[in-house]
Amino acid sequence: MTAVSSEMRAVQVPDLRDFTLPELTEWMTGLGEPPYRAGQIFRWLWRRQVGEFREMTDLPMTCRQVLEAHARVSTVAVVAIQSSQDGTHKLLLELPDGERIEAVLIPEARRLTACISSQVGCALGCRFCLTATMGLHRNLRPAEIAGQLVALGKTLGSGNHITHIVLMGMGEPLANYTATEKALRILIAREGLAFSPRRITVSTVGLVPGIRGLARSGLGVSLAVSLTATTDELRDRLVPINRRYPLRELLQACRDFPLPPRRRMTFEYVLMAGINDGSEDAHRLVKLLKGIRCKVNLIPLNEAPEIPFRRPSRQQVEAFQKILERAGTIATIRESRGEDISAACGMLATAERPLDSVCSVP
Ligand code: SF4
């Protein structure tokens, strides 16, 4: 097939990895196939991770021919892997149209967390985030969000598997809500990647309609909200989306978010020296979060030349934490992971920092 005709085909026929199982069932029955075929195909796509119809050997030949004519299956390719001294791996991934995104694998004790992207770049312009410097190239499709797990899984040695997922890579997942929700359904589906929703965290800077949508979806995934400022005046400057969804509205959406027993919402707070790390900020944070079952993750800023702020001293970070703890708020300091390879929080930006080495993930 020539490049032009394969591109046209990509536009004309659906990518089966974009479908949730109910959507695939509807599409297959539209082709005159029995509904149970959708389950067979879904398992091939996500559990066995096979993308070639000819390899789906339990489908009748006629069905495989129908699929060849009417559908395609896209894959996310690993282009390069960079490994940090602390065991973190940053992966450069290529999408079918050649756009590139990044994902990070973070091993900790008995966990292996995959931090995945939801957009190529981001439009929200948070002042402390390197991804913001790229602007938004485009949204990812469901196949591209969930497909990152397939790509990452293939780099792992035998016996290793991803235990937790955070949508905290490039992009704001709730600004790409429909694709994110579909991808979550694929990740959770028993016939799909079968992750427990408890082990999936969606991170947002505060898109209230998306938080409310996630609450209504009944998916049961965890929510992390990047708060980072305790007054609207400061938050308007650091997180411009605050002008549309100010703190009061955001925190009400958090209060309304359904939390299963014993689970807590996470608030991320990026600490910047002299900007939001004072004792008055800590006291205001305690007040704002009153009544919300939550924990606070304090993230000392990961510095970069493009970011106009500095990281506070360890002493200052610990003093901030103590104020929260004394007031009964659970507060942890996130130890930066993968900083030497620009894989730490807020440091993902492919356009600015191309990867240069390939190695295998243990
Ligand atoms: S912090 Fe998140 S929402 Fe803000 S610019 Fe960076 S990627 Fe976008």
Side-chain angles (χ1 to χ4, degrees):
M1 206 181 283
T2 64
V4 173
S5 63
S6 75
E7 253 173 51
M8 282 183 60
R9 180 177 158 72
V11 173
Q12 285 163 356
V13 300
D15 179 353
L16 296 195
R17 282 202 167 125
D18 275 333
F19 288 147
T20 60
L21 182 54
E23 287 173 337
L24 184 59
T25 307
E26 195 183 328
W27 186 79
M28 289 298 290
T29 50
L31 287 178
E33 293 287 336
Y36 66 84
R37 283 273 182 265
Q40 286 177 292
I41 295 167
F42 206 75
R43 282 190 289 276
W44 278 111
L45 295 176
W46 295 109
R47 300 203 77 165
R48 297 178 182 152
Q49 304 182 351
V50 164
E52 299 290 339
F53 297 127
R54 63 186 144 75
E55 291 175 27
M56 301 183 182
T57 46
D58 62 355
L59 302 180
M61 189 55 79
T62 49
C63 177
R64 283 184 252 168
Q65 284 164 350
V66 167
L67 292 175
E68 292 283 0
H70 295 281
R72 67 192 164 103
V73 176
S74 71
T75 52
V76 175
V78 176
V79 177
I81 305 174
Q82 229 180 356
S83 300
S84 163
Q85 288 170 354
D86 66 16
T88 301
H89 304 276
K90 182 169 75 165
L91 293 94
L92 180 66
L93 305 174
E94 190 163 283
L95 306 173
D97 65 355
E99 286 278 13
R100 290 178 169 196
I101 53 170
E102 290 181 343
V104 184
L105 282 169
I106 310 151
E108 292 161 289
R110 293 161 67 179
R111 284 179 174 214
L112 179 57
T113 302
C115 174
I116 60 171
S117 295
S118 54
Q119 298 180 306
V120 186
C122 184
L124 296 193
C126 302
R127 298 272 315 281
F128 50 87
C129 171
L130 203 55
T131 307
T133 61
M134 290 176 65
L136 177 67
H137 292 208
R138 70 170 174 83
N139 282 330
L140 297 192
R141 294 184 287 108
E144 295 167 331
I145 300 174
Q148 291 169 67
L149 270 298
V150 176
L152 297 182
K154 287 187 172 162
T155 66
L156 301 175
S158 66
N160 290 318
H161 62 277
I162 292 161
T163 59
H164 292 73
I165 302 169
V166 292
L167 276 87
M168 223 176 256
M170 290 169 64
E172 160 58 58
L174 300 184
N176 182 17
Y177 185 84
T178 305
T180 295
E181 187 185 318
K182 284 185 187 189
L184 291 171
R185 293 192 186 282
I186 293 167
L187 296 176
I188 289 165
R190 201 158 35 91
E191 299 84 348
L193 292 174
F195 275 93
S196 160
R198 301 172 66 98
R199 293 178 171 216
I200 302 177
T201 301
V202 175
S203 174
T204 177
V205 284
L207 269 72
V208 169
I211 294 173
R212 295 210 177 276
L214 211 52
R216 274 193 308 273
S217 74
L219 285 166
V221 295
S222 300
L223 183 69
V225 177
S226 178
L227 206 61
T228 299
T230 54
T231 63
D232 280 321
E233 192 200 355
L234 180 61
R235 201 163 191 271
D236 282 354
R237 284 198 283 132
L238 297 176
V239 185
I241 197 68
N242 191 70
R243 294 174 203 153
R244 199 175 318 161
Y245 307 112
L247 278 168
R248 201 186 151 95
E249 211 178 308
L250 169 60
L251 291 168
Q252 189 56 50
C254 294
R255 285 198 167 82
D256 296 341
F257 194 82
L259 278 178
R262 293 195 299 280
R263 268 165 79 189
R264 292 177 185 275
M265 183 173 295
T266 303
F267 286 94
E268 316 272 2
Y269 194 95
V270 180
L271 281 160
M272 292 167 256
I275 303 291
N276 64 352
D277 63 342
S279 59
E280 63 288 1
D281 295 286
H283 287 296
R284 263 196 306 267
L285 185 57
V286 168
K287 256 196 196 161
L288 282 178
L289 301 184
K290 212 173 169 133
I292 305 179
R293 199 168 356 119
C294 67
K295 60 184 177 204
V296 175
N297 215 343
L298 298 172
I299 308 171
L301 176 75
N302 292 305
E303 294 182 357
E306 298 86 341
I307 306 290
F309 305 115
R310 292 289 154 255
R311 178 191 298 216
S313 66
R314 182 76 194 181
Q315 215 179 7
Q316 188 67 23
V317 173
E318 284 173 5
F320 197 98
Q321 181 189 30
K322 274 212 178 76
I323 294 172
L324 300 188
E325 285 179 341
R326 278 201 202 111
T329 305
I330 299 173
T332 51
I333 299 171
R334 187 188 292 170
E335 301 305 334
S336 192
R337 302 291 307 266
E339 206 181 341
D340 54 331
I341 54 167
S342 300
C345 236
M347 296 183 82
L348 301 184
T350 54
E352 302 295 324
R353 289 157 187 260
L355 302 181
D356 51 15
S357 66
V358 178
C359 63
S360 63
V361 176

